[in-house]
Amino acid sequence: MRHTRAMSVSTQDEAHLRDAIAEAQEARDAGNHPFGAVLVTRAGRVIRAGNTVVTDRDPTGHAETNLVRLAARELEREELRHSTLYTSTEPCAMCAGAIYWAGIGRVVFALSEQGLIEIVSAVSDEPVLDVPSREVFARGGDTVAVAGPALEAEASAVHAGFWG
């Protein structure tokens, strides 16, 4: 078993995280859960996706899984390996699995899973999975670099008043 490599978050990473947070706000404005994700290739190509759980009536319509589906259709596997997926909230176990299977090489997240659990558990009975993405990635046979949390206050703001 290999382990994920921890990485720091740069100012460029923060800019992309803010884009992911904006995607989360767009998802919320459309009636979905407030989660967003952005994939950036080594060449600078950007692919975006938001959560569609409610509007598509699909419990797997998380921002990251939606983004993985789009990116896998549009990019070669080698491009995915050298891409970074930015997400407004740490990927859940399902999304981390999708990211792993797609071969995406790096993940940067804003709000931590524990931060989300604290927000959601305080105001609702919405189910949560307490499985950190680093743990999921570490179980795989490949290395995924992970950075985060970062910009947690900005990322948690999009959840304000949603889960009650």
Side-chain angles (χ1 to χ4, degrees):
M1 173 181 8
R2 295 184 185 174
H3 297 283
T4 58
R5 294 175 285 137
M7 301 187 76
S8 61
V9 176
S10 70
T11 55
Q12 183 177 6
D13 289 333
E14 288 179 348
H16 293 304
L17 283 175
R18 286 186 174 100
D19 289 342
I21 294 166
E23 286 292 322
Q25 184 63 55
E26 287 182 31
R28 180 178 177 164
D29 293 345
N32 289 293
H33 299 163
F35 300 98
V38 175
L39 184 116
V40 180
T41 69
R42 183 168 38 186
R45 181 172 176 191
V46 177
I47 302 172
R48 305 169 188 278
N51 182 288
T52 59
V53 166
V54 176
T55 55
D56 285 352
R57 296 181 60 166
D58 177 1
T60 68
H62 292 196
E64 299 89 344
T65 55
N66 288 339
L67 183 59
V68 165
R69 286 181 193 112
L70 287 170
R73 282 187 208 117
E74 296 181 22
L75 302 174
E76 297 298 324
R77 185 132 173 112
E78 189 62 19
E79 284 180 288
L80 290 170
R81 176 151 317 288
H82 295 289
S83 295
T84 299
L85 188 148
Y86 296 92
T87 183
S88 63
T89 305
E90 182 174 2
C92 71
M94 175 185 70
C95 292
I99 291 163
Y100 169 78
W101 289 115
I104 294 169
R106 183 169 183 250
V107 172
V108 181
F109 64 87
L111 181 63
S112 69
E113 177 186 26
Q114 281 303 309
L116 177 66
I117 288 171
E118 289 172 16
I119 291 168
V120 173
S121 297
V123 296
S124 82
D125 61 356
E126 184 78 22
V128 293
L129 281 174
D130 190 0
V131 181
S133 62
R134 284 180 173 95
E135 185 175 324
V136 175
F137 294 135
R139 300 284 181 151
D142 206 2
T143 301
V144 177
V146 180
L151 306 177
E152 284 195 281
E154 291 177 41
S156 63
V158 74
H159 293 274
F162 180 82
W163 298 103

